[in-house]
Amino acid sequence: MNQNETPLFTGVKEHAAKKPTQFHIPGHKGGKGMDEEYRDFIGENALSIDLINIEPLDDLHHPHGMIKQAQSLAAEAFGADYTFFSVQGTSGAIMTMIMSVCHPGDKIIVPRNVHKSITTAIIFSGAKPVFIHPELDDQLGISHGITPEAVKRACEANPDAKGVLVINPTYFGITADLKKIVDIAHSFEIPVLVDEAHGVHIHFHERLPLSAMQAGADLAATSVHKLGGSLTQSSVLNLREGIVSHERVQTILSMLTTTSTSYILLASLDTARRHLAINGRQLLEKSLQLADYARRKLNEIPAIYCPGEEILGSEATYDFDPTKLIISVKNLGMTGYDVEVWLREHYKIEVELSDLYNLLCIVTPGDSEEDIELLIEALSELSARCSSTHQTKEVEVKVPQIPVLSLTPRDAFYASTEVIALKDSIGRISAEFVMVYPPGIPIFIPGEIITEENVQYIRENIEAGLPVQGPEDDTLETIHVIQEQRAFK
Ligand SMILES: Cc1ncc(COP(=O)(O)O)c(C=O)c1O
């Protein structure tokens, strides 16, 4: 196969260049029938390939032509046996992975700090989660991954589980020994499903952690749009054949996918794959150099800490992706969110995420030396301002407790519920998700017993201005809980 080729992008462009008279959707017909301001802004080229699955352009639901060829090239580039394109983000790919291996009532071993798409898939499939507690870093206030030892114990206790799900790397770029986890799960003939939302690039540079396919995992939902250069919402699902059947995956993916698949998104996956396969290593080398420089300089700034390989060494912190800059700002005496706002207002800098104690900045082939210098300059100024106003102080880090699951998420989601004040909900069973987004990791999921510590944690996040989401009541004054029958009036 020739990785320089882009069968899908080329095919779609050639089709548009013929300027066919279109009696099919989309009704804007190359932009002619749409709002003028939007058309002028987006441009003719993009609109000319905003097409749907007419015969010459293949069909994502039954790929047999240009989409099939593009997916085969992607499989070769990602080291997979099969690659499926997703136009519904990595969330769509994750739901497909889980629903491909779990039937109602089946067990799935998952870390508790999973993205909400995983819990959603568990609800839809009716699977029973066996939660593994992730390792918590109480210096930084973040969760890492799960350890091989914890996976081994979970598999021994649940040899009938239908999957082990691993987040690799985490949002913050940390990985466990994935190869070891795969070997353990496979010794029980349990497939390994990897949430690789933050790791499409790691396959393409030897200094980066092993990718899911390199480690021998069975399925990986891999966000090409996040760090691989395709358009937002486009993603892939990689499969290594053996335990999981590709026919089953294709069927489930199709059930969960719109019939109006965007060719703008699909074509961007085809070209991102080419770019990664041909130029990925060289581009990542530059990103790594920029990130190394940034980390060194950030660590020279008083009260700022940007962790590097010194945090490795525990079972859950086996390797890391240096292009993720975790910037601990707790010693500035400000929350991560306040620093995020300060950077926006004073330097027009937008970070990937903030939490109570940290910022996360990602370095990609889209960054330049000037971008990095601006970040260093901005944080140097902030640090100097804080120390001149004596704001810097050591802060005690808190991480949310992992609540006890008393009902399966599905039973809780579909149970009779009532709405009560959040302050009165301690000890009740949540029927809703509550999470800070980003990163979208739940503080409560349906079925968990609400704890005072976590209600307090929610309050602290709200007071800090962080985006706590999930419940129907977006003020978070009230929450849906499972109705309880009282024995006495
Ligand atoms: C760990 C993790 N998994 C899955 C997802 C879902 O990805 P997408 O937004 O492409 O649906 C995200 C998104 O932030 C994520 O952080």
Side-chain angles (χ1 to χ4, degrees):
M1 274 187 268
N2 181 351
Q3 291 290 334
N4 280 298
E5 285 177 6
T6 52
L8 178 51
F9 178 51
T10 308
V12 172
K13 259 194 329 181
E14 283 173 0
H15 177 82
K18 289 186 202 148
K19 297 198 185 309
T21 302
Q22 297 175 354
F23 286 105
H24 60 73
I25 57 171
H28 64 69
K29 307 206 174 178
K32 293 184 295 253
M34 72 166 25
D35 179 78
E36 201 181 320
E37 187 184 346
Y38 185 76
R39 178 180 63 221
D40 292 347
F41 185 77
I42 289 292
E44 241 174 63
N45 277 346
L47 292 168
S48 75
I49 63 162
D50 185 25
L51 295 161
I52 46 117
N53 50 341
I54 48 172
E55 168 65 19
L57 301 183
D58 205 358
D59 183 354
L60 188 63
H61 292 265
H62 302 279
H64 52 276
M66 58 179 81
I67 294 181
K68 185 164 192 259
Q69 289 164 20
Q71 291 189 148
S72 300
L73 279 161
E76 185 184 71
F78 292 121
D81 291 326
Y82 290 89
T83 292
F84 302 88
F85 287 173
S86 163
V87 289
Q88 289 180 197
T90 308
S91 297
I94 282 177
M95 291 191 215
T96 304
M97 279 199 308
I98 294 177
M99 296 180 78
S100 297
V101 300
C102 286
H103 294 182
D106 284 345
K107 290 181 195 164
I108 179 164
I109 298 170
V110 284
R112 170 56 181 73
N113 57 329
V114 287
H115 185 261
K116 70 169 188 174
S117 56
I118 295 173
T119 328
T120 304
I122 288 172
I123 290 175
F124 288 168
S125 65
K128 284 197 199 131
V130 174
F131 283 127
I132 304 190
H133 290 205
E135 195 173 279
L136 298 176
D137 187 322
D138 50 20
Q139 287 297 308
L140 294 170
I142 61 177
S143 317
H144 297 312
I146 49 177
T147 66
E149 188 48 41
V151 171
K152 184 160 174 270
R153 280 198 304 270
C155 290
E156 280 165 357
N158 303 277
D160 53 341
K162 292 294 185 283
V164 170
L165 192 136
V166 186
I167 310 162
N168 191 82
T170 63
Y171 208 144
F172 293 96
I174 313 290
T175 69
D177 185 346
L178 183 61
K179 173 96 185 49
K180 203 164 168 187
I181 290 177
V182 169
D183 290 345
I184 292 168
H186 282 178
S187 71
F188 291 84
E189 289 180 27
I190 302 177
V192 176
L193 324 182
V194 180
D195 174 347
E196 204 173 45
H198 299 286
V200 65
H201 58 307
I202 61 177
H203 190 80
F204 298 93
H205 197 290
E206 66 287 350
R207 229 188 106 190
L208 294 170
L210 279 192
S211 72
M213 289 297 113
Q214 286 164 333
D218 302 271
L219 284 165
T222 307
S223 273
V224 187
H225 77 88
K226 287 195 203 297
L227 297 166
S230 68
L231 291 182
T232 296
Q233 213 171 308
S234 61
S235 193
V236 295
L237 178 51
N238 288 322
L239 178 141
R240 172 177 296 280
E241 199 141 55
I243 311 185
V244 185
S245 114
H246 69 272
E247 287 95 346
R248 176 85 182 155
V249 171
Q250 174 68 66
T251 304
I252 306 284
L253 185 67
S254 184
M255 286 168 74
L256 294 174
T257 297
T258 171
T259 40
S260 307
T261 51
S262 160
Y263 278 76
I264 299 185
L265 297 184
L266 291 171
S268 86
L269 282 171
D270 198 22
T271 53
R273 180 272 311 152
R274 171 174 65 183
H275 201 42
L276 282 169
I278 306 290
N279 307 314
R281 195 194 169 282
Q282 186 199 338
L283 294 169
L284 283 161
E285 181 60 35
K286 186 180 158 231
S287 303
L288 283 162
Q289 283 175 16
L290 278 182
D292 289 344
Y293 172 76
R295 182 170 283 102
R296 212 173 48 247
K297 288 301 209 184
L298 288 167
N299 280 325
E300 288 170 8
I301 303 173
I304 296 282
Y305 170 49
C306 180
E309 57 189 21
E310 73 283 356
I311 65 164
L312 302 184
S314 75
E315 265 213 277
T317 58
Y318 177 77
D319 204 354
F320 84 121
D321 169 3
T323 67
K324 296 289 182 75
L325 302 174
I326 307 169
I327 306 175
S328 166
V329 296
K330 62 181 183 168
N331 292 342
L332 286 177
M334 293 170 80
T335 65
Y337 179 72
D338 287 341
V339 177
E340 173 181 342
V341 172
W342 189 91
L343 289 172
R344 179 174 298 131
E345 286 174 356
H346 292 81
Y347 277 84
K348 280 203 292 174
I349 289 175
E350 296 292 344
V351 300
E352 169 65 17
L353 69 78
S354 65
D355 62 21
L356 290 173
Y357 317 107
N358 306 293
L359 302 175
L360 178 67
C361 292
I362 57 167
V363 181
T364 77
D367 289 305
S368 63
E369 278 83 6
E370 294 79 65
D371 299 329
I372 301 294
E373 292 298 352
L374 190 70
L375 179 67
I376 295 164
E377 183 192 328
L379 287 171
S380 303
E381 184 191 329
L382 182 62
S383 166
R385 282 196 192 201
C386 289
S387 67
S388 67
T389 54
H390 304 292
Q391 272 190 34
T392 56
K393 62 174 192 297
E394 293 271 331
V395 171
E396 192 203 333
V397 163
K398 287 190 215 129
V399 279
Q401 304 289 313
I402 297 182
V404 174
L405 187 73
S406 90
L407 283 179
T408 69
R410 184 184 176 89
D411 287 346
F413 188 75
Y414 289 114
S416 303
T417 61
E418 60 182 312
V419 180
I420 61 172
L422 184 65
K423 67 178 174 36
D424 299 330
S425 67
I426 317 299
R428 300 292 297 271
I429 302 171
S430 176
E432 298 191 279
F433 288 97
V434 183
M435 78 207 97
V436 183
Y437 187 87
I441 293 164
I443 301 168
F444 292 121
I445 63 169
E448 284 181 339
I449 299 177
I450 297 173
T451 58
E452 182 146 20
E453 291 79 11
N454 281 10
V455 169
Q456 183 55 25
Y457 184 79
I458 291 172
R459 280 204 199 99
E460 282 171 24
N461 276 277
I462 295 173
E463 276 161 23
L466 285 156
V468 184
Q469 304 178 359
E472 277 179 23
D473 174 5
D474 57 16
T475 67
L476 268 123
E477 290 291 317
T478 61
I479 184 164
H480 278 79
V481 293
I482 307 300
Q483 250 178 26
E484 281 177 2
Q485 301 295 333
R486 298 202 184 280
F488 304 102
K489 281 214 171 152

